[in-house]
Amino acid sequence: MFSSLARQQWVRSSLPVLVAAVVIMTAPSLVTGSFWQRVIILALFNVVLAMSLNLVIGYTGLLALGHGAFLGIGAYTSAVLTTTYEWAFWAAFFVAGITAAACGLLLAVITLRLRGHYLAIATLGFAVIVYQVLMNWIDVTRGPLGIPGIPTPPNIPLGNGTELDFGLPAAHIYLAGAFAIVCYVLIRRIVNSPMGDALRAVREDEISAKSLGIRTFAWKCFAFTVAAFAAGLTGSLYAGYMGILEPSAFVLTVSFTLLAMVIVGGAGTLVGPVIGALVLTIVPEALREVGPEYRMILYGLALTLVVLFFPQGLVGIGAALRSRFRSSSRSKPDEPPSDSTGTGFAKEVPVDAS
Amino acid sequence: MTLLQLVLNGLVQGSLYVIVALGLTLIFGVLVKINFAHAEFLMLAAFAGVVSIDTFNLSYGVSVLVATLVGASLGVAIEFGIFRPLRKRRTDELRPLVATVGVSILLQNLALLYFGPNPRQYQSPYMQKTIELGELYLSYQRAIVFVVAVAAICALFVFLRRTAPGRAMRAVSQDSDAASLMGINVSRIVLMTFVIGSALAGLGGGLLGPMLVIEPTVGANIIVLSFAIVVIGGFGNVNGTVIAGLLVGIIESLVTGYLEAGLSSLAIFGVLLLTLAVRPTGLIAERVEQNV
Amino acid sequence: MRKPRSKTLAAVVAGGLMLTGCAGTTSSGSDDAAGERDSSAPLHIGAVLPLSGDGAYFGVAGRKGIELAVEQANAAGGVNGKDIRVTFSDSVCEPSGAKQAAEKVISDGVNAIIGDECSSATLGLMPVLEQEGVATITPGSSALAITDPGNDWTFRIMPNEVMQGADLAEKAADELGAKTAVILHENTDAGIGNAEVFQTFFEESGGEVLDVIGFDREVQDFTSVATRVAALGDVDVIPTYTLEGQGVNITNALAQANVTKGGGGEAIQLGTIWLPLGFEDKVAENAAEGYVRIVQFDPNDPNDAATSFLADFQQKYDEIPNHISAHAFDAANVWIEAAEKADSTDPTALRDALLEIEGFTGVTGTVTFEENDVETCSCPNERQNIELDTIHYIETQPGGDLNSLAW
C-alpha cells in the first residue's frame, strides 16, 4: 500500500518518539528516589511549556515574554474547579486548557498590531496582570494563602487488576511523559505542515506574507492560542501533581526560565526546546549540592554565555559538532538547519503598517 | 488635604521613577534594545553607596557620587560585554534582551552571595527631618530627591537639545544609518548613551537608597514598573517618560490612599496594556515617530 | 535534515533520563521507609530552608542558628559520643521546592528535619513527612494548620499567629486602653493570618478596627499609606506585621506623618517577634518611640541560654541574631536533646523522644511538646502540640532604650 520509501520515512520519523516512549515507561524503575522522580516530572512539564512557547517565539517570530501566565491560568482554573466546585479532574483539565487558550487569544488580539519589543513588553505586562489577579482576587484564588488540597487525577484501572495510582510519582511520570509525547507529535505535525509554513512566513517577513495572501493576524492568533492551550493543560497537570498552589509559583521569573529553555535549546527547531527544558531543569537540580546561590549564578552565567556565543543554542552546537565530524560532508558549516532559528533582524517598527 | 498630600507624595515618588526609567528610555531610543539588567545596576550602585558609607565612612553626598559612577561603569561593561558583540554579529533583536535577563539573574545572585540576604540600611542624614508646607509635609530626603530629579531631567533636556553630542544622540536614535553617513561616530554615541543611562540608574540607587530596603532583589521589584512607565510614555520618548513617571507615581499614591495597595500594580499595568492596544507609541507621543 | 534531528531528540531524551537515572540510583541510598535506617547512626539533621530567592533572609538566618547549635554540641562531644551531621537543602520558600528539598535530605539519610521557615513551604512538605515517617520542627512558620491534630510529624517552636496575636490584641485593649486600631500587614499568608487573628481578638475585647491595609513585600514607599492612616483620625494602636525592611520604612513614614508618638502623634505601633533587636537603630531618630512589641527573649533580663547565645552568635557571625536564628538554634537543640533521650536515631524513635520533652529551656523560653490528640486538645484556639512560655513584651523609649513590660 505505501511505498517502501514512505514506510521507511514513517518509521524513521516515528522512531525517536517510540524510543522516548520506551524510556519514559521504564524511567520509574530506572530512577528511584522520589527526588529525582520529581525532577523528571517537572522536566517533562517544562518540555511541553518550552515546546509551546517555541511555537510562538521560534516559529512565528513573536517575542512572548509572559508564557508563565498561561501556566498559572490553567493551574488555578483546574485547582479552583476541583477544590471549590468539586469537578472531576479530567473535566477540569480540559476547561483549564480552554480557559488559558481563550486568554491567549485575547492577548493575541490586544497585541495584534504590535511587533518586536512592544509585543514583548505587552506580554510582560499581561503576565504581571495575571499574577496580580491571582494575588488579589482573594474570593476565588485565596490570594497569597494559596490553594491547598488539590486532588490528583483519579486512579486509572489497567487491564490486569492493577491500577495506575496517582498517589505515587510513577503514575505522574507516565502521565507527564505521555502528555509530552502527544504534544511533541502534534506540534511536529503543525510545524511540518502548510500551517508551519504560514507561521514561518509570518516570522520571516510579515509584509511579504500578507502580500501573498497569508492572513498573518489569524496565524498569530493561532500560535498564541495553541501555545496557551498547551500551557493551560500543563498547568492543570502541575496543580494535580503539586497538590498545593501559590501565586508565587507564577512570577515573571518562570516566564524568563521558559524563555531561556527555548533560546538555550535552540529556538525554531523541534528538538531545541526539548533539550533546553531537560538541561535547564535537570542541571540546576544536580547543582543543588554546590550550594543554592551558586546554582542560580551558574544558571544566569550559562544563559548569558549561551546567548552570547552559541546563538543557535545547544542544537546549533550539536549541528556544528556533527558537521565537523562528518568527514565526507560537503555541507557548508554556516548553512542554517532546515528550520532556521532567529526571528529576523527587522528594523524596529512598533506597529504593523496596515 | 489628604488628596493634596497624596498627590504630592505621588509627584515625589514619580520623580524617582522617572530617574530610573529615563535611563531605559534613552538606551532604547538610541539602540532600540532593552537592557534588562538596568535595575540591577541600580541595586549594585545602591550597595556601593551603602558600603562607601559603612565601610569607608564617606558622606552621603559622596556616596551618591560613588553610586552614580558605579552605574556608569556597569553601563560601559554591558555595552562592551553584551551589546556590542551581539551588534557585530547581527543576530536577531531578541538576543540582547535574553542575554541581559541572564546578566540580571547573575548579578542578583552574585550580590546575594557577596552581600547576603539581610537588608541593609542606607543611612542618610536627611531622613529624620521633615519640611512642613502648611498642612502638607515632605521629608528632607524626598525633597532633595525631587530637586535632584528635576535638575537631572533639565540637564538632560539641555544636553539633548543644545549640545552637539546630545543632538548627535537624537540623530542616531532617529536613524542610525543616516547619522553615520553624516559623520557621526555611532559607536561612540552608543557608548555615551549607555554611560548616561546607566549613570542615571546609579544616581537613582544613591537617591532612593535611604528610602528603600537595600537587598539584592530590590532591582527586580523596580524593573517591571520602569518598563510600564517607558511604554506608557513611549519608548525613546524623553518627554513622555517624564510625564508617564509622574503619572504612575500619582496613580500609585491615590490607589494606595483610597483603595487597596495591591490594586495599584493592577491599575498601572492595566493602563500599560491599554496604551499598547490603543496607542503603542505611547500615550504621550509628542511626534508620531518610531523613535525619539 | 529531519532524520538526524529526530534521532537527536530520542538520544537526548534517553540520555537525559539515563543521567537522572544514574544520579537517582547513586543518591537514593537509604530513601526507603524510615524503619530500615541504621538506628545507631549519628544524629543527622536535615534542614529545609529558603536559602536563595525571596525567602533567603529567613533561610540564611535559620542556617546560622542551626550551624551554631550543632557546632557547640559537637564541641561538647556530640550525641552519645558521635558527631552530629547537618545537611542543608534549598526550598526557595515554595511548597514544591520544599517537597523536593525534603525528599532530597531524606534520601541522604537524615533522621530528623528542621524546616521550613515559610508557612506554605512547610505545608507543602508535610505529605513527604507522613509518607517517609520523619518528623520536623518548623522554626518559623506561623500557619496554624501545620500542627493541627492528626499531623503527627510536625512540631513548631515559634509561637504561632494565635499565640502572639491574641495576646497582643488583649494586652492592647487591657493594658494600653486601646479602643481603635489600624492593622498594617504584608500580603503573605503569615501577614494575613496574623492580621485576622488580631482583628478577631481585638474586636472581642471591645475594640474597633478602623482599617486593614495590606501590601506586597515589594512595596517600598509608605508615605501614602501613612497619609491614609493619618486621615482616619483617632487611632490608638497600629499593629504592624511586616519584616524589618518594610517595618523601618513604615515606622519612618508614620512618624513623618505625625501619626505615631515618635512623630508627635498619639498612636502606638504594635509588633511581633518579626522585628529583630537593633531595629531601633535603623529607623530615623525617635521614630520608634512608644513601639510595643513581642520579642523572643527579654533583652534586659535574658535567661542564661539567651545571654550566651547572644555572645556566641556575635562572636561567630559578627552580627546580632534575629528571632529566626534564635528559633532555629533552639530547634536544633531540641533535636539534640531528643537524640540524647532516645535509644536510637531511628526517626520514629526521635519523634517519640521529642514528645517526652518537658520544659526544654531554650533561648526563646520554655517549651513542652505534647501529643496532638483531637480528643484531648483544647481546640480550636490551642490546637498545637507545644506549650510555650516565650512571649515577652518590650516598649521602645525615647532614645532607643528598651523597657521591659511585665505583662
Side-chain angles (χ1 to χ4, degrees), chain B residues 27-79:
Chain B
I27 293 173
F28 189 86
V30 164
L31 204 57
V32 195
K33 295 282 180 298
I34 294 175
N35 174 15
F36 211 84
H38 189 73
E40 264 63 47
F41 291 179
L42 183 147
M43 178 266 291
L44 287 174
F47 266 108
V50 170
V51 165
S52 60
I53 291 184
D54 288 347
T55 316
F56 297 106
N57 284 321
L58 302 174
S59 72
Y60 174 65
V62 175
S63 78
V64 173
L65 211 60
V66 169
T68 311
L69 286 173
V70 167
S73 328
L74 289 169
V76 171
I78 211 169
E79 154 67 358

Side-chain angles (χ1 to χ4, degrees), chain A residues 13-333:
Chain A
S13 56
S14 304
L15 188 64
V17 175
L18 294 175
V19 169
V22 166
V23 171
I24 287 172
M25 288 296 292
T26 55
S29 23
L30 285 176
V31 178
T32 52
S34 32
F35 172 71
W36 285 105
Q37 289 180 331
R38 158 151 309 115
V39 174
I40 292 181
I41 296 169
L42 293 179
L44 289 170
F45 287 152
N46 283 334
V47 163
V48 175
L49 291 170
M51 287 195 301
S52 57
L53 181 61
N54 184 38
L55 200 61
V56 176
I57 293 186
Y59 285 105
T60 320
L62 304 170
L63 285 83
L65 288 185
H67 204 55
F70 302 117
L71 177 69
I73 292 173
Y76 264 90
T77 306
S78 180
V80 169
L81 287 176
T82 51
T83 53
T84 314
Y85 298 102
E86 295 183 10
W87 276 37
F89 181 84
W90 295 112
F93 172 75
F94 185 64
V95 171
I98 299 286
T99 312
C103 294
L105 183 59
L106 178 66
L107 180 62
V109 167
I110 292 177
T111 61
L112 220 38
R113 297 183 311 143
L114 299 179
R115 303 185 64 213
H117 285 98
Y118 295 85
L119 176 67
I121 300 297
T123 56
L124 206 64
F126 178 76
V128 173
I129 289 182
V130 167
Y131 173 75
Q132 289 294 331
V133 167
L134 293 180
M135 275 290 263
N136 286 300
W137 198 7
I138 310 247
D139 291 339
V140 172
T141 66
R142 291 176 26 111
L145 300 179
I147 301 183
I150 304 171
T152 55
N155 294 347
I156 300 176
L158 307 166
N160 52 351
T162 55
E163 57 174 18
L164 204 56
D165 180 6
F166 281 102
L168 301 174
H172 288 277
I173 294 183
Y174 296 137
L175 178 60
F179 181 60
I181 290 179
V182 168
C183 286
Y184 174 79
V185 169
L186 289 177
I187 289 182
R188 192 182 61 178
R189 265 298 173 80
I190 294 176
V191 163
N192 290 342
S193 75
M195 291 191 275
D197 293 335
L199 293 177
R200 276 184 287 266
V202 171
R203 176 185 74 197
E204 295 304 328
D205 190 341
E206 203 171 326
I207 299 178
S208 303
K210 247 191 271 207
S211 69
L212 288 173
I214 297 177
R215 294 170 50 201
T216 54
F217 291 165
W219 286 111
K220 282 184 182 178
C221 291
F222 174 74
F224 265 107
T225 310
V226 169
F229 183 63
L233 292 179
T234 311
S236 170
L237 293 182
Y238 175 80
Y241 173 61
M242 282 292 144
I244 172 172
L245 273 192
E246 270 201 331
S248 61
F250 307 108
V251 288
L252 276 184
T253 321
V254 172
S255 297
F256 295 144
T257 307
L258 294 176
L259 175 73
M261 290 175 189
V262 172
I263 300 290
V264 168
T269 66
L270 277 172
V271 180
V274 177
I275 299 179
L278 288 176
V279 168
L280 287 183
T281 311
I282 294 174
V283 171
E285 292 300 339
L287 289 177
R288 241 178 219 272
E289 313 287 339
V290 182
E293 307 96 358
Y294 292 106
R295 181 163 64 111
M296 290 300 285
I297 289 174
L298 282 158
Y299 196 156
L301 195 62
L303 175 59
T304 311
L305 291 179
V306 165
V307 171
L308 270 181
F309 299 116
F310 306 107
Q312 291 180 346
L314 296 175
V315 165
I317 299 177
L321 287 175
R322 221 177 314 119
S323 60
R324 186 148 339 154
F325 285 130
R326 235 183 256 145
S327 49
S328 59
S329 164
R330 285 171 162 261
S331 67
K332 296 154 252 171

